[in-house]
Amino acid sequence: MSSQPSRCLVMNSSVIIALAEINMANIISVLNIEIIVPHAVYEEVVTKGRSRPGSKELETLINQGKVKVLAPKNRALVEALHDPLGMGESEAIALAVEHGCMLALDDRIARSKAKSMNLKVIGTIGLLRLTYSKGLIGRDMLIQALRELKEHGFRISDKIINEVLKKLK
C-alpha cells in the first residue's frame, strides 16, 4: 500500500462503540475523509445493539450522510476471513481491500490478518492520535479520552498511555 494518506476509512464496531462510550463518536464526522461501515457492523451496532453505546451515534452519523453503509462485493473473501474473524471484521477487511481504504479495528487477530494483506490498520487509540495530529482535539482532550477508555474497560495499559503521551508534539 502507498504511503499516501487514505481517502477513506472502514470502521469496525469496536472503534465506534469505544468512541461512543467516551462521548467522542463525533470525531468520526470531522476527519475529512470518507467513512464506510460494513453492513454487518451496522447490524451489530444499530440493529442488534439498539440502545447500547454506539447505536444512536452511528445511526445519527449515517442519517447526516457522514458515514456510508456498504456490503462488500467479494463474498468469497468475506467467507474466507470469517473463520476465525467475526462477520463485521471480515466485511471490514473485504471493504478496505475493495476500496483501498485504511481500516479501523482493535481486535488483535483481525489486525494481524489485515496487516498480512498489506492493509493500513489503525485502532481506537491510533484514531484518537490522528485527530490530535490533525488539530481536531487538543492534548488534554486526548489524555482524557485515553483515561476514559481505560475506565470503560478498554484494554490499554498505563505503559501504552505513557508511550502515546511521549510521542505527542
Side-chain angles (χ1 to χ4, degrees):
M1 189 145 212
S2 73
S3 60
Q4 292 181 337
S6 294
R7 66 186 195 295
C8 55
L9 176 69
V10 177
M11 297 188 76
N12 189 40
S13 58
S14 62
V15 178
I16 297 163
I17 292 166
L19 291 173
E21 285 181 330
I22 62 170
N23 297 312
M24 290 193 71
N26 62 319
I27 68 169
I28 295 167
S29 65
V30 296
L31 286 172
N32 204 23
I33 57 174
E34 180 182 22
I35 306 293
I36 299 170
V37 170
H39 188 264
V41 168
Y42 174 84
E43 287 295 314
E44 181 183 340
V45 175
V46 176
T47 304
K48 294 177 186 161
R50 178 119 353 253
S51 78
R52 297 181 76 190
S55 175
K56 180 182 63 169
E57 294 86 350
L58 180 57
E59 198 164 33
T60 299
L61 290 166
I62 292 166
N63 290 337
Q64 292 172 344
K66 310 237 180 197
V67 173
K68 282 188 200 175
V69 178
L70 298 176
K73 292 177 176 69
N74 189 343
R75 298 310 301 176
L77 177 57
V78 172
E79 291 307 317
L81 292 166
H82 192 228
D83 182 21
L85 305 180
M87 189 54 75
E89 295 157 340
S90 301
E91 285 193 3
I93 291 171
L95 282 169
V97 168
E98 289 175 14
H99 295 270
C101 297
M102 183 167 50
L103 186 59
L105 45 75
D106 292 316
D107 180 81
R108 184 180 50 81
I109 295 169
R111 288 172 67 97
S112 177
K113 185 63 174 169
K115 287 177 182 178
S116 77
M117 297 171 69
N118 293 318
L119 293 171
K120 183 166 172 45
V121 179
I122 191 169
T124 301
I125 296 166
L127 195 58
L128 288 167
R129 284 191 60 210
L130 177 65
T131 58
Y132 170 80
S133 69
K134 287 185 167 198
L136 301 171
I137 62 172
R139 179 183 169 87
D140 290 345
M141 187 177 278
L142 175 61
I143 293 167
Q144 181 65 28
L146 294 173
R147 291 197 174 119
E148 285 183 31
L149 279 173
K150 188 171 181 176
E151 288 170 14
H152 280 86
F154 192 86
R155 290 185 180 167
I156 179 173
S157 67
D158 289 333
K159 181 182 175 189
I160 290 175
I161 290 174
N162 291 332
E163 286 174 15
V164 168
L165 297 179
K166 281 181 195 172
K167 292 177 184 175
L168 298 181
K169 294 177 185 175

